[in-house]
Amino acid sequence: QVQVVESGGGWVQAGGSLRLSCAASGRTFNMYAMGWFRQAPGKEREFIGAITWRAGYSYYGDSMKDRFTISRDTVTNTMYLQMSALQPEDTAVYYCAEKDAGEIVTLRQAAEYDTWGQGTQVTVSS
């Protein structure tokens, strides 16, 4: 089984940038992809983007690609989320998730992922 831990959240002023990290450990040899989601109070969990682990193909949710960039380091088994031009509506708990190799998936649905981190809070003030 894979374990994932997010870090890098915090407080930032509107217009600022922040980079989140997600470190994977355990049975990482079986990872197919990792993804980022976020959830604001009272809202559903929202897909930000995902990246396939070996090939490095990235996918983004609607309107996410403009200000969010996902990358990965296969040596350290770490995924990153670079966020720029942050706005108060970006305030949320940000989660990373891991998907094992196996069935064909879209990577856009939270239910498709096998392992989740505890989340890291990002707060953007106006």
Side-chain angles (χ1 to χ4, degrees):
Q1 191 170 356
V2 175
Q3 296 81 42
V4 294
V5 178
E6 306 95 337
S7 62
W11 175 89
V12 63
Q13 284 190 322
S17 299
L18 207 59
R19 190 178 81 157
L20 305 183
S21 301
C22 176
S25 61
R27 295 171 63 89
T28 57
F29 62 88
N30 198 39
M31 291 200 307
Y32 169 64
M34 295 182 74
W36 286 103
F37 290 77
R38 68 183 182 183
Q39 189 164 19
K43 294 189 176 181
E44 294 185 353
R45 194 162 294 193
E46 181 181 25
F47 173 69
I48 298 173
I51 189 165
T52 60
W53 207 246
R54 292 187 180 182
Y57 296 129
S58 56
Y59 307 88
Y60 293 90
D62 293 342
S63 75
M64 294 294 180
K65 192 172 185 179
D66 293 343
R67 299 183 296 118
F68 295 83
T69 302
I70 295 175
S71 60
R72 91 251 190 264
D73 182 334
T74 58
V75 175
T76 62
N77 289 319
T78 304
M79 176 178 64
Y80 301 97
L81 177 65
Q82 179 67 48
M83 305 184 290
S84 61
L86 286 164
Q87 299 301 315
E89 52 265 37
D90 294 315
T91 295
V93 177
Y94 284 69
Y95 297 91
C96 74
E98 178 270 341
K99 176 70 187 80
D100 291 339
E103 66 273 19
I104 297 174
V105 293
T106 69
L107 295 178
R108 298 175 180 273
Q109 305 297 321
E112 294 174 345
Y113 289 81
D114 298 295
T115 302
W116 289 83
Q118 293 299 308
T120 186
Q121 176 71 45
V122 172
T123 302
V124 184
S125 64
S126 57

